[in-house]
Amino acid sequence: YVYANKNIRGEMPDMSKLTKLQTLYISTTGLSGSLPALSGLEAISYVRMDYTKNGADLGFTGNIPAYDLPRLNYLFLTGNRLDGQVPKLKCPYLYQIYIDDNELTGNIPDFSDCPRLKQIVLRNNDMTGYQEGSLRYNSSASIIDISNNLLTAQVGPTLINDLLENWVLAPRGGVTVNMLGQNGLSESSTRNDGSSGEGSTANKLDTLRQKGWSILMD
């Protein structure tokens, strides 16, 4: 546990030999550089490395590693300067991921190997696209927040279809999906994508809302 101490600076040390480490909590410090890969730390269940940027030249930078952690339950990387495409994570027991308020680009991450995710928070980044299947299999999700990214209108049909398939896998209400603040993706662009009939994107969107999903779009 290292937190609320701006005098702690420098890069993260090598942690590859801490094979019994279960919790890594680093918040609001002066630490910077790349995120640790955490390779081989199979006991780790909680990782928090957030709100470390206390100035323009501070905060963790670079890419998020392709974490393959069999016992990881919680991953919080809020408020750094992380960039690039988020790789596919292999964390079968991950329940919450918060990688908001960074500079991440590319597609919405593929979470198909994280089937137990309940909260997915990616807001305030620079993500532009979505690949089929990335959110389809997260049938435990109750919060999906991808607001304030740069998603285009072309994303709408594939994303809405995957969300409906998500519901089909595990019928449930009370799910909130926040897609506000995009670069072209909107309620209008989604409803007027050229599809029609029962299989139209507009009909799928209405079905989700009828099933108790809160879909927020501009």
Side-chain angles (χ1 to χ4, degrees), residues 95-128:
Y95 300 138
Q96 296 181 14
I97 182 168
Y98 281 66
I99 52 176
D100 48 314
D101 294 301
N102 279 285
E103 299 167 12
L104 299 166
T105 58
N107 294 325
I108 297 295
D110 184 347
F111 291 124
S112 58
D113 284 339
C114 305
R116 291 174 173 82
L117 270 171
K118 298 178 182 295
Q119 297 182 15
I120 302 169
V121 180
L122 316 176
R123 63 177 174 255
N124 299 331
N125 278 291
D126 298 317
M127 299 178 190
T128 55

Side-chain angles (χ1 to χ4, degrees), residues 12 33-38 49 60-65 67 77 80 82:
M12 289 287 293
S34 301
L35 294 174
L38 305 180
M49 291 181 283
F60 291 110
T61 56
N63 302 136
I64 295 176
Y67 289 129
L77 303 174
N80 291 288
L82 302 169

Side-chain angles (χ1 to χ4, degrees), residues 115-150:
R116 291 174 173 82
L117 270 171
K118 298 178 182 295
Q119 297 182 15
I120 302 169
V121 180
L122 316 176
R123 63 177 174 255
N124 299 331
N125 278 291
D126 298 317
M127 299 178 190
T128 55
Y130 178 83
Q131 290 293 319
E132 182 178 1
S134 297
L135 294 172
R136 178 182 296 179
Y137 304 104
N138 305 108
S139 54
S140 296
S142 60
I143 294 175
I144 300 174
D145 189 347
I146 55 178
S147 61
N148 297 322
N149 273 277
L150 299 173

Side-chain angles (χ1 to χ4, degrees), residues 23-42:
T23 299
L24 176 63
Y25 188 114
I26 298 172
S27 183
T28 317
T29 72
L31 290 168
S32 60
S34 301
L35 294 174
L38 305 180
S39 300
L41 304 189
E42 294 190 356

